Amino acid sequence: MSDQKTDKMLQDGVSRRSVLGIGSAALAAAAFAGLSAHAQTREGAQKAEGDHSSSNPGQENKPLLAENPNSNTPPPTDFGDVGPIWYSYDLTKRRVQEGGWTHQVTQRELPSSTDLAGVNMRLTAGSFRELHWHTADEWAIMLYGNARVTLLNPDGTIFIDDVSKGDLWYFPAGFPHSIQGLGPDGCEFLLVFDQGMFSEDGTFLLSEFVAHTPPEVLAKNFGLPESALANFPTGPLYIFPADLPKSLEEDRAAVGGEKVRSSIQYTFKMEGMAPTKRTTGGEIRIVDSHNFPVSKNVAVAINTIKPGGMRELHWHPNASEWQFWMAGKGRMTVFMPVGSARTADFNANDVGFVPFNAGHYVENTGDTDLVFLELFKASEVLDVSLNQWIRRLPPEMVHSHLKLDKNAIQTIPAEKLEIVPR
Ligand code: MN
Ligand code: MN
C-alpha cells in the first residue's frame, strides 16, 4: 500500500475515532497499529505485521541512519510532511584558501529557509576575510579564538574592536567591514544573513572593485599617479594570509583616535552576560534589539540544555526559526497543520529549521550539554509557551479540551520557563 493511501486511511480513522470520543492514548495506539508503512512494535499496540514491516533488506547508508534514528524510525506521532527541517555543514563543500576556509548553508541547501542563510568560516592567525560589503545584514557569533573587526559608518566614523569566543557582531547591509584572525590560533565564527538566498560568493570585494575600474579613473579618484597603483590586486583576495595587526589601542590611534571613532557599538560581549532565564534544566540568553540596539533584523536565543533537559513546547509568532547546533546532540519535533509532525535528530554543526509559527520542542538526547542557537529575522525574540497558555486559561476550559484533572493543571508551570526544569 502506498504511504499516501495509508496516511489517508489513518486520517479518516483518526477523525472517526475522535468523533466517538476515544481517549488520546487509545487513539495513538490505534493509529499506530494502522500504520503498516511505519509499523513498529510497542506495548499495547496490536502487533499485526510488526517488526517485519520496518525491516529493510536493501541497501543502507549506516552512518547516516545511526545519526538519524528519529527519521528512520519515527515516533508514531509523526505524520504527513512538514518540509525540510535539517541540514549539516558537514554535507557542504568547504572552500579552502591559504589563510582559512568557508562553507555555507543557504536556501539552496535548506529550501524552507527563505529568511536566513548561514556561513561558517575559519581564519588563521593574521589572515583576513577581505574588506567587503553586501546587500544583507550580517549577524555573527565567535565560535573559537580571537578576531579583529572593522566597520566604516556612512558618516565617516570607524568602528574597530576585538572579539573572542561567545561574542557577537552585527554589520548592517552596505556598511563596509573586515575580519582578521588574531593570535594565538586565529578564529572560527558563524555568520547569519537576513536573506535566505544570500551567498558568500556574492559580496562586493575591495579587490574586485579596483580590478574592474579603469586605471586612469583609479588614479584620478585617489589623486595618485597610475604607477603608484601598479601592485593592485587583479582578482579577488577573499581570504588571504597577512601579518598580525598592532594592538587594538595602536590601531584605533593610527586611524585618528576619538574624533573618528564610531559612536555606535557593533559588537556584543556575551561572555559576561547573565542568563535571561535559568532553570535546573539549563539556561537561555536572549540578545536582540532590546539589549543590542544595532541588531535590528536578526534576533537570537542561545540555549544551553543539560542532559535530559528540554526547551519547552512553544512557537514564535513573529518569524521562522533558523538553528545552529554548537555542541551536544538532541532531537526536535516540528508540528504543522493539518496534523503533520516531523521528528529529527541533530548534532553539532547541524542546521535546524522551524517554519513560521510551527510548534516545537528541543530535547537533549545526549550525555553532555546541548548548546544551540534559535535565530529569527526579527527585531526581537518572541515566543508563546504552551504551559503558560494553559495556565492563563480557566481550568474548566482546559479540562474541556484536554480532559486534564484540575489538580494536575495547577502543577503545570505558570511562568514561562523556556527550559523545562529537571
Ligand atoms: Mn560580511
Ligand atoms: Mn524555538
Side-chain angles (χ1 to χ4, degrees), residues 108-303:
R108 297 167 194 81
E109 289 77 26
L110 186 55
S112 323
S113 182
T114 57
D115 287 349
L116 299 174
V119 170
N120 174 214
M121 191 177 291
R122 162 105 169 106
L123 299 172
T124 58
S127 295
F128 278 104
R129 167 62 172 91
E130 183 190 347
L131 288 160
H132 70 284
W133 70 99
H134 34 69
T135 58
D137 281 14
E138 171 178 318
W139 178 97
I141 183 168
M142 286 287 287
L143 304 171
Y144 168 82
N146 303 287
R148 177 159 305 164
V149 295
T150 71
L151 172 142
L152 180 74
N153 288 307
D155 69 4
T157 55
I158 184 95
F159 178 81
I160 308 179
D161 201 12
D162 288 351
V163 283
S164 322
K165 186 178 177 188
D167 291 343
L168 314 181
W169 72 73
Y170 193 94
F171 297 157
F175 288 28
H177 52 277
S178 67
I179 310 157
Q180 184 177 22
L182 298 178
D185 186 33
C187 59
E188 185 179 335
F189 48 88
L190 176 79
L191 306 171
V192 176
F193 300 92
D194 68 345
Q195 294 171 357
M197 286 298 278
F198 185 83
S199 170
E200 59 182 354
D201 303 324
T203 65
F204 298 87
L205 304 179
L206 171 64
S207 58
E208 292 191 321
F209 197 13
V210 299
H212 295 282
T213 304
E216 66 277 15
V217 172
L218 291 175
K220 190 184 287 183
N221 181 73
F222 293 130
L224 289 169
E226 271 187 55
S227 59
L229 316 178
N231 295 326
F232 269 22
T234 53
L237 298 169
Y238 198 79
I239 290 173
F240 66 98
D243 293 333
L244 283 167
K246 292 181 172 168
S247 74
L248 184 58
E249 291 66 34
E250 286 173 296
D251 266 8
R252 283 174 173 168
V255 301
E258 280 303 316
K259 65 179 189 295
V260 299
R261 186 168 172 167
S262 170
S263 60
I264 301 165
Q265 182 69 28
Y266 290 100
T267 54
F268 184 91
K269 311 289 182 182
M270 216 173 54
E271 198 60 40
M273 183 186 175
T276 309
K277 192 77 82 174
R278 176 191 274 148
T279 72
T280 52
E283 53 195 42
I284 190 168
R285 289 174 171 78
I286 291 173
V287 183
D288 58 21
S289 61
H290 294 295
N291 50 355
F292 185 24
V294 292
S295 190
K296 286 193 173 72
N297 295 320
V298 179
V300 68
I302 298 137
N303 291 267

Side-chain angles (χ1 to χ4, degrees), residues 312-328:
E312 66 175 320
L313 284 163
H314 68 284
W315 62 94
H316 304 277
N318 60 340
S320 62
E321 172 176 328
W322 192 96
Q323 300 171 342
F324 180 64
W325 289 60
M326 291 170 57

